[in-house]
Amino acid sequence: MATRQDTVTADRKLALKEVVDDLLFDGLIDKKQAEQFLIPARSSSLEIHPLVIVAQQEWDNQQTGKLLNLEALTQWLAEKVELPYLRIDPLKVDVTSVTGIMSAAYASRFKILPIKVDHKKVIIATAEPHVRSWENELVHVSGLQIERVIANPVDISRYLNEFYSVSHSIRRATSDSEEKQIPGVANFEQLIELGKSGRLDTNDESVVHIVDWLLQYAFDQRASDIHLEPRRDNGYIRFRIDGALQLVNEMPTPVMAVVTSRIKVLGRMDVVEKRRPQDGRIKTKTPNGSEVELRLSTMPTAFGEKLVMRIFNPDVLVKDFSALGFSESDITKWDSMVTVPHGIVLVTGPTGSGKTTTLYSTLRQLAKPEVNVCTVEDPIEMVMPEFNQMQVQHNIGLDFATGIRTLMRQDPDIIMVGEIRDKETAQMAVQAALTGHLVLSTLHTNDVAGAIPRLREIGVPAYLINATLIGVLAQRLVRTLCPHCKTPIELDPDIWKSMTRPWKMSGKHEFYEAVGCDECRNTGFLGRAGIYELMPMTASLRATVTPDSDASVIRKQAIKEGMTQLRISGARKVAMGQTTIEEVMKVVPPDEEL
């Protein structure tokens, strides 16, 4: 195989036999594999890249024992031809800029993809290192230096279609919006008025395509939220991935206004009304065919409507509790709390800490044919066929308390209340628990012990708390280290002691730090897991619940009885190599625990 320094007189595509011979020469496969493979390989389609065909064999690397997948083979090819390897990250590609370098037809002809461009050079991804005739042509046309990189041929083909298709749709939508402007219209506020009058068509093919791409792209990137944020000139598209917001793309603000209107149509919202917040819901499918619900929320801003779509994937609810981050002891305690016939179980934590996932996962396991599970929510987070769900509607007087009162006439076994936030709701929840129902709900407190003073502040007497409260769960979410790139480190013993005091954690500890690779988009983290603090109400804990007791007294007694604090739960995940001390301290500051 020719190296970068070899003189290439004519374009030459990679041949399958050439690739297999070089893999054999480099010791990545053995002679038996090569001989058995080449017999059927001759009949393979010439349109399929050789690396893809080899990857389909699912061979193990004879040197490392790891699978020779397409990405590993691409890295091997890059080293072989002495060119940089690149894993294409669409979140870091300015689609509008790179697609202006060459036409889609030209890129498709040579199977190349522009990745990054500035005033001096352009980076081009290719999987055919010996096809180079396009370089001189592109230098002549663009006046820029060319830097070639080797990338996965499947990714090149996929993103070539996506980038140019989306870029075309945005440009077309921009052109359409400009053509439909009234003479003299020059600012965004007047463009919004055009949208109200219907001059910007939400059913335009390009707008429909942008919305479809946006949703499918978000599913592919494991986003939990999509933000469409209008600004004076360009609107921002941001995804929340593993709890962190990332800028994905920009588009002209008038186009974003039409895209927002299109999404509002899909969510059965009032397209004309742009001055007040609205809520909606969309049910769609991911690329793999599974159903997903999106909860929509709009908010008027200085430059138009800001739209946030929260993605609820039902797949997360089929996970068992260990997959959510519960330890074995946590699972045992939690099961004992939620299988009691009647009483109140509370889940506490800030917004975005995973309370909804925990409750829905619990209800889904409890919902059997012989059990009537009813919920009252604001809003309904996910529509589940196993439950009877009621939406709070304040405009007609249907609040949480009224909803609980209604549900109690529906012969329920288990009631889930979205949130206990006022005296009337708390009293109805207590009444339901006293009359033989299991009530699950959320409360906004920092830890488990704070739930009891909070209930007293709302107006629940101490004796009723003792009579009905089964237990409290507090939780947070921490990002988990990417298993592909995390690296072992030696941790300062003083830092570890400061995190775990006053406990002494025995056993084998494995500490890792985040590095960053293509699999985790160079963040060092891949996914999130929960850390938990459970406090079942024992007889001795009930004795601490008095009209004037504070959270510190309750907390000390719970710890005395063996409760694992949030910080210690996080420390255990650090010691198991699942996350870092910094990640735990972000969500559980030391002073919160002491």
Side-chain angles (χ1 to χ4, degrees):
M1 186 178 292
T3 65
R4 193 179 185 185
Q5 287 78 17
D6 292 336
T7 301
V8 180
T9 58
D11 284 352
R12 175 174 62 83
K13 289 188 175 182
L14 284 175
L16 184 57
K17 186 177 186 308
E18 175 189 11
V19 170
V20 174
D21 286 345
D22 282 334
L23 287 169
L24 179 61
F25 181 80
D26 289 347
L28 273 66
I29 62 175
D30 58 35
K31 189 174 181 181
K32 183 178 179 182
Q33 289 172 319
E35 290 175 348
Q36 291 178 345
F37 171 66
L38 285 177
I39 296 172
R42 293 192 186 98
S43 61
S44 299
S45 171
L46 295 176
E47 294 299 318
I48 303 178
H49 195 280
L51 294 186
V52 176
I53 298 174
V54 175
Q56 291 170 349
Q57 310 311 306
E58 297 185 347
W59 288 334
D60 287 333
N61 188 323
Q62 297 299 310
Q63 295 178 349
T64 65
K66 295 182 178 179
L67 181 67
L68 274 176
N69 58 21
L70 185 56
E71 215 58 54
L73 289 166
T74 306
Q75 292 182 45
W76 164 80
L77 176 63
E79 293 176 6
K80 193 74 176 175
V81 298
E82 299 180 12
L83 285 174
Y85 159 78
L86 176 72
R87 177 76 176 267
I88 300 174
D89 184 353
L91 294 179
K92 297 180 179 179
V93 177
D94 184 344
V95 175
T96 304
S97 297
V98 299
T99 52
I101 291 296
M102 66 183 75
S103 68
Y106 192 84
S108 298
R109 175 184 167 192
F110 292 104
K111 300 290 192 296
I112 57 178
L113 183 66
I115 298 299
K116 186 177 181 180
V117 61
D118 56 31
H119 65 285
K120 288 185 178 180
K121 71 177 181 180
V122 56
I123 298 175
I124 305 290
T126 180
E128 292 288 356
H130 309 312
V131 176
R132 304 186 60 176
S133 61
W134 53 267
E135 283 189 71
N136 289 334
E137 295 176 4
L138 197 57
V139 169
H140 178 71
V141 173
S142 67
L144 299 172
Q145 299 174 12
I146 304 296
E147 180 180 331
R148 293 189 304 153
V149 295
I150 299 296
N152 179 328
V154 173
D155 282 354
I156 290 176
S157 178
R158 172 192 172 184
Y159 291 123
L160 192 154
N161 292 328
E162 283 192 10
F163 289 173
Y164 279 93
S165 181
V166 171
S167 177
H168 172 72
S169 295
I170 292 176
R171 286 173 181 151
R172 180 176 171 183
T174 305
S175 175
D176 289 347
S177 66
E178 289 172 352
E179 290 175 4
K180 295 174 183 177
Q181 290 183 26
I182 297 174
V185 173
N187 59 47
F188 181 75
E189 289 76 11
Q190 289 169 308
L191 287 171
I192 291 296
E193 294 302 319
L194 289 179
K196 291 181 182 179
S197 66
R199 293 176 181 271
L200 301 180
D201 189 2
T202 58
N203 294 317
D204 185 87
E205 181 183 352
S206 57
V207 176
V208 172
H209 178 73
I210 292 171
V211 173
D212 289 344
W213 168 82
L214 182 66
L215 297 181
Q216 297 301 320
Y217 193 26
F219 302 150
D220 185 53
Q221 299 298 320
R222 302 180 296 104
S224 61
D225 300 85
I226 306 170
H227 291 242
L228 300 185
E229 304 173 342
R231 298 292 190 267
R232 186 178 299 277
D233 298 316
N234 282 332
Y236 296 155
I237 301 174
R238 297 200 288 175
F239 291 170
R240 187 176 294 280
I241 302 173
D242 293 337
L245 274 175
Q246 298 187 30
L247 181 63
V248 174
N249 209 329
E250 297 182 17
M251 67 171 63
T253 300
V255 177
M256 180 166 284
V258 189
V259 169
T260 299
S261 295
R262 169 68 184 174
I263 295 171
K264 288 173 67 177
V265 169
L266 297 175
R268 298 181 178 86
M269 301 161 73
D270 187 346
V271 180
V272 176
E273 179 58 74
K274 302 176 187 290
R275 299 169 298 173
R276 63 179 177 85
Q278 294 187 64
D279 295 316
R281 190 180 298 274
I282 296 175
K283 178 173 269 190
T284 184
K285 290 188 176 182
T286 63
N288 61 15
S290 59
E291 286 193 347
V292 170
E293 286 198 11
L294 295 93
R295 197 180 75 200
L296 315 180
S297 175
T298 64
M299 179 185 76
T301 69
F303 300 107
E305 281 186 296
K306 179 182 186 293
L307 173 68
V308 175
M309 293 177 275
R310 172 156 287 186
I311 301 171
F312 292 99
N313 188 347
D315 290 344
V316 301
L317 302 180
V318 299
K319 292 180 179 178
D320 56 26
F321 290 113
S322 60
L324 294 177
F326 280 75
S327 66
E328 290 299 324
S329 62
D330 289 340
I331 293 174
T332 301
K333 289 180 182 178
W334 184 244
D335 282 342
S336 67
M337 287 163 58
V338 298
T339 52
V340 173
H342 54 83
I344 299 175
V345 177
L346 295 175
V347 180
T348 72
T351 301
S353 59
K355 300 188 298 295
T356 299
T357 299
T358 299
L359 283 176
Y360 271 79
S361 297
T362 302
L363 289 176
R364 198 166 185 176
Q365 293 196 17
L366 296 175
K368 299 175 182 177
E370 65 272 17
V371 176
N372 180 17
V373 178
C374 299
T375 74
V376 52
E377 305 171 62
D378 182 24
I380 295 174
E381 302 282 9
M382 243 183 293
V383 178
M384 304 299 297
E386 297 90 346
F387 318 150
N388 300 292
Q389 296 169 282
M390 181 190 301
Q391 167 79 52
V392 166
Q393 300 183 59
H394 295 285
N395 57 328
I396 59 172
L398 178 56
D399 54 15
F400 279 117
T402 306
I404 299 172
R405 189 178 293 111
T406 301
L407 292 183
M408 288 176 66
R409 303 190 190 104
Q410 293 288 314
D411 186 30
D413 297 297
I414 300 172
I415 297 174
M416 195 272 274
V417 184
E419 182 185 353
I420 295 177
R421 60 177 68 154
D422 54 51
K423 182 177 181 179
E424 190 176 5
T425 303
Q427 288 176 337
M428 289 306 305
V430 168
Q431 186 65 30
L434 290 172
T435 52
H437 305 92
L438 176 63
V439 180
L440 282 73
S441 187
T442 68
L443 201 64
H444 283 287
T445 62
N446 288 333
D447 55 22
V448 291
I452 293 173
R454 175 66 179 147
L455 287 174
R456 287 208 318 269
E457 289 171 8
I458 290 174
V460 182
Y463 73 93
L464 285 179
I465 295 175
N466 276 326
T468 58
L469 189 62
I470 300 170
V472 187
L473 166 72
Q475 68 178 80
R476 301 289 191 277
L477 289 177
V478 294
R479 293 191 295 173
T480 52
L481 287 163
C482 174
H484 304 281
C485 64
K486 65 180 184 181
T487 303
I489 58 168
E490 292 291 332
L491 191 67
D492 187 337
D494 293 335
I495 296 177
W496 180 243
K497 288 178 182 177
S498 67
M499 182 184 187
T500 57
R501 71 177 191 275
W503 302 87
K504 290 183 179 180
M505 298 183 64
S506 58
K508 184 180 179 181
H509 298 161
E510 297 179 355
F511 302 112
Y512 292 83
E513 66 177 355
V515 177
C517 66
D518 295 320
E519 295 294 333
C520 61
R521 303 179 186 86
N522 292 312
T523 63
F525 298 92
L526 193 63
R528 290 189 291 177
I531 57 175
Y532 303 93
E533 180 178 82
L534 285 92
M535 185 181 73
M537 292 299 291
T538 61
S540 54
L541 270 172
R542 295 186 193 282
T544 64
V545 181
T546 63
D548 56 354
S549 63
D550 59 23
S552 61
V553 175
I554 300 168
R555 185 171 192 78
K556 287 178 182 177
Q557 180 61 34
I559 294 173
K560 185 178 178 181
E561 295 184 9
M563 181 187 76
T564 301
Q565 299 165 271
L566 275 171
R567 179 162 46 83
I568 302 303
S569 176
R572 286 177 177 172
K573 284 187 166 50
V574 173
M576 293 166 62
Q578 295 180 5
T579 188
T580 65
I581 287 180
E582 293 77 15
E583 283 299 306
V584 174
M585 290 306 187
K586 280 181 186 176
V587 296
V588 190
D591 58 347
E592 188 175 303
E593 299 289 335
L594 301 176

